[in-house]
Amino acid sequence: MWQSLPLPQSQLCLSAVLKCGQSFRWVAVGSPPEYRFCLRDRVVCLNQSPTTLFYRTFLPYPQPSALPQQHIAEAETLVWLKDYFQLDVDLQKLYAEWAARDKVFSSIETRFAGIRMLRQDPFENLISFICSSNNNIGRITKMVQALCKHYSAPLLSIPDPSDPLVEVEYHPFPSPSVLAAPGVEATLRDLGFGYRAKFIQRTAQMLVDTHGSGELAEKFLANLRNTPTEEARQELLKFMGVGRKVADCVLLMSLDKKEVVPVDTHVHQIAIKHYGLKGSLNAKSNMTPKLYEEINTKLVAVWGDYAGWAHSVLFTSDLKAFSAHGVETAETTALPTPPPTPSPLKRKGGVPEGDVPPSPLIGRAKRRRT
DNA sequence: CGCATACCAATA
DNA sequence: ATTGGTATGC
C-alpha cells in the first residue's frame, strides 16, 4: 500500500505547498490529512511525517490479481513526484542563501520551512491562473474543481478516510480541445466564472487553432520550458485573459523560469513595506507596467537566481491562512526598515512618514473609509 | 505610457 | 466597498 521516500519537512511541507495558491486541485481528506491529486491516468495520495514522504497510487479498473502492475504504477508515481516537487533542488541550501542575502527572509525562514515551487502542468496552470484575477484562493479552488467535474469524466472513486462509506470521485484536468468548444463560455458563466468564462474558452480555442488539437497544444506549452524567459512570456501574453502577472505565474510555476517574480498586490505591499519600494498613498494605486518592472527588478536583485522560489515563501508567509490566529513571535517586530529606493523623478504627493506597521509581514495597510 | 472603467461573485 | 487583474479606450 503506502510507499515511503525519506524526505525531511525542511525540504517539503505538504500542508503549506499544496494550499498556498500554486495548485488549486489538491484535496485534503481525513486527519491527519491525506492529500489527493488526480492525474490523467491515476490518483496520487500523499502524507508525511517529519522525516518521510508517504505516497500511494490508485488506478482505474484495478485488477485484483495484478500486483506487478501496481508495483510498476508506484514506480511511475515516484518518478512523477520527483519531477512535480522538483526534489533535485536542495531547498535547505536555497533557504540558507536567501537568508544570507536578505534579513527579511531570515526573519521568517524557520516559521515557513519547506515551501518550494511545484512543477505543474502548463495548461492546467494557465487556465487556473486565468481564474485568479480579482479573486481569492477559496473561490479559485471551487472554480477549478467545478471545471474538472464538469468537463472531464471521473477517473475513479476512493472512500473518504474520515467516512469510508462515502466514495469520492476524482476528475483529471480537461484537455484544451474540450475547453475550446463554443458552448463552454456560457456553461462556465452558469458555473459562476463570470467574465473569466470567455477568457478560458478563447484561450483554449486559440491554443487549439494555432497549435493543433490532441496533444499538440499541450506540447506547444511544454516546449516553452526550452524557450528563453522573455520569448515565452510574449507567447503567453497573446492569450486572452493573460496579462503580465498571470504570464509570470505560469512562467514560474510550470515553465521552469525560477527567477521570475510575479507581482500582485500582496507582493507589491511586501515590496513597499520591506524592500524600500515607493508606495503611492493613492487609494487605488494601480500596478503600472513601470512599477511592476521596478518591483520585479528589485526582488530579483535581492534574492538572485531562484528569486521566484523565494518570493513564494514570502508570499505564503503573508497569506492570512498561514499567519492568522494571532500567532505572534517575539522577534518579528525588529525588522530593518530598508532605505527607500531613490526615486529619480517626481513623486506624486508628499508621502507622510507616520505609518507604523503592526507586524512585519502580516496585514497590509488598509484604508479606512471616511 | 499613464490613467479610467467595466467585469462576476464572494466577503478571507 | 473590496478583492492574487485584464481588456479596452482615451
Side-chain angles (χ1 to χ4, degrees), chain A residues 153-314:
Chain A
L155 183 72
L156 53 81
S157 55
I158 310 174
D160 182 340
S162 59
D163 190 356
L165 295 183
V166 178
E167 296 257 326
V168 187
E169 288 186 329
Y170 293 88
H171 301 251
F173 198 86
S175 69
S177 47
V178 169
L179 297 182
V184 166
E185 176 181 347
T187 303
L188 290 183
R189 276 190 181 271
D190 289 341
L191 290 176
F193 280 61
Y195 60 90
R196 306 165 194 88
K198 176 158 90 168
F199 295 166
I200 290 170
Q201 190 276 330
R202 291 286 299 278
T203 290
Q205 182 174 44
M206 181 174 151
L207 211 37
V208 168
D209 287 350
T210 325
H211 300 100
S213 58
E215 308 284 84
L216 290 177
E218 284 160 297
K219 293 225 165 155
F220 165 76
L221 290 177
N223 189 48
L224 295 178
R225 288 172 169 169
N226 309 313
T227 305
T229 299
E230 188 51 40
E231 191 183 330
R233 176 180 291 129
Q234 293 308 316
E235 288 296 330
L236 293 172
L237 289 173
K238 293 176 184 171
F239 295 113
M240 170 125 342
V242 178
R244 177 68 192 264
K245 190 267 179 179
V246 170
D248 281 0
C249 284
V250 176
L251 289 171
L252 174 65
M253 300 181 189
S254 63
L255 298 180
D256 298 339
K257 308 300 187 260
K258 55 195 186 327
E259 77 284 4
V260 170
V261 179
V263 179
D264 57 29
T265 57
H266 279 208
V267 174
H268 185 193
Q269 294 306 318
I270 292 173
I272 291 170
K273 198 174 288 184
H274 301 293
Y275 297 98
L277 270 289
K278 67 181 176 204
S280 142
L281 203 58
N282 196 340
K284 30 183 155 184
S285 74
N286 276 330
M287 180 56 57
T288 66
K290 185 171 181 176
L291 179 56
Y292 191 108
E293 287 297 344
E294 210 173 317
I295 295 171
N296 204 297
T297 302
K298 169 67 179 177
L299 294 179
V300 170
V302 172
W303 294 322
D305 198 27
Y306 276 78
W309 287 50
H311 133 279
S312 181
V313 181
L314 268 285

Side-chain angles (χ1 to χ4, degrees), chain A residues 71-91:
Chain A
H71 189 73
I72 291 170
E74 299 297 3
E76 292 167 342
T77 293
L78 179 57
V79 170
W80 177 80
L81 287 172
K82 286 180 176 173
D83 182 75
Y84 185 77
F85 287 107
Q86 313 201 59
L87 295 181
D88 286 342
V89 178
D90 184 348
L91 193 63

